[in-house]
Amino acid sequence: MFKEKILALIETTLEENPSIFLIDFTVGPSNKINIILDGDNGVALKDCVAFSRAIENNLDREEEDFSLEVASAGATSPMVMPRQYKKNIGRELEVRSQGVKFEGKLTEATDQGITLEWKAREPKPIGKGKVTVQKKQEFVFSDIEEAKVIIKF
């Protein structure tokens, strides 16, 4: 009952903020509520505050005591939803698929999967030395074990 009430408050707030989406929601021991958000244009502090207020103002601590944490998905957190990939087109990703790691630029994201592109040095087909070639790999979401944005400084 308590969890369903919180979920309904989250869904109402999501409808009011269409660029924000829910990544994770848990209610742990002693009613510790944990909400992780992401957004098409990132998540600002004001977005977290809006969700926090929507929940706090509609729950009665006299009825049921709780603690609440609303946060944005971290920059180094793995992506878990297709919508997260779409907002990161053009960025460098590290993708682990079937035990193999790939690094490249995310060039396409659909509802079924993604496309990564990168340059690699390979031996020349004829003669000695190496040549730079353009590589392209498509991944369906079910084959992606983990994908993260590579942060470069």
Side-chain angles (χ1 to χ4, degrees):
M1 178 78 175
F2 184 63
K3 191 172 183 175
E4 288 79 17
K5 186 174 185 179
I6 297 163
L7 194 54
L9 293 169
I10 292 170
E11 287 172 356
T12 300
T13 311
L14 286 169
E15 288 170 14
E16 295 165 4
N17 300 279
S19 72
I20 304 294
F21 50 97
L22 183 66
I23 296 296
D24 194 24
F25 162 63
T26 57
V27 178
S30 354
N31 286 338
K32 183 176 185 331
I33 304 165
N34 207 335
I35 300 168
I36 308 291
L37 304 170
D38 203 345
D40 296 327
N41 305 307
V43 178
L45 181 59
K46 68 178 178 60
D47 299 319
C48 291
V49 169
F51 278 82
S52 183
R53 285 189 179 145
I55 291 165
E56 288 213 22
N57 293 344
N58 290 291
L59 293 179
D60 187 357
R61 287 188 191 272
E62 302 281 325
E63 255 178 56
E64 197 145 7
D65 195 27
F66 64 91
S67 65
L68 174 63
E69 184 178 312
V70 179
S72 64
T76 58
S77 299
M79 290 184 268
V80 295
M81 298 178 69
R83 196 166 169 182
Q84 288 178 290
Y85 290 92
K86 290 176 183 173
K87 79 172 205 159
N88 284 296
I89 289 174
R91 297 184 78 182
E92 295 290 318
L93 295 189
E94 178 184 284
V95 175
R96 194 173 69 233
S97 177
Q98 300 169 346
V100 180
K101 278 188 184 177
F102 298 86
E103 283 188 16
K105 186 179 202 173
L106 177 62
T107 56
E108 188 178 4
T110 66
D111 292 335
Q112 288 75 41
I114 62 169
T115 303
L116 276 190
E117 292 186 25
W118 67 95
K119 288 185 166 90
R121 298 283 290 163
E122 292 184 350
K124 286 183 178 179
I126 299 171
K128 294 183 180 180
K130 293 190 173 196
V131 65
T132 301
V133 295
Q134 184 71 26
K135 296 285 210 171
K136 184 176 185 174
Q137 178 77 39
E138 293 181 3
F139 301 90
V140 292
F141 288 122
S142 59
D143 287 344
I144 297 174
E145 294 161 14
E146 184 179 79
K148 293 181 180 181
V149 172
I150 298 172
I151 307 294
K152 292 187 178 176
F153 297 97

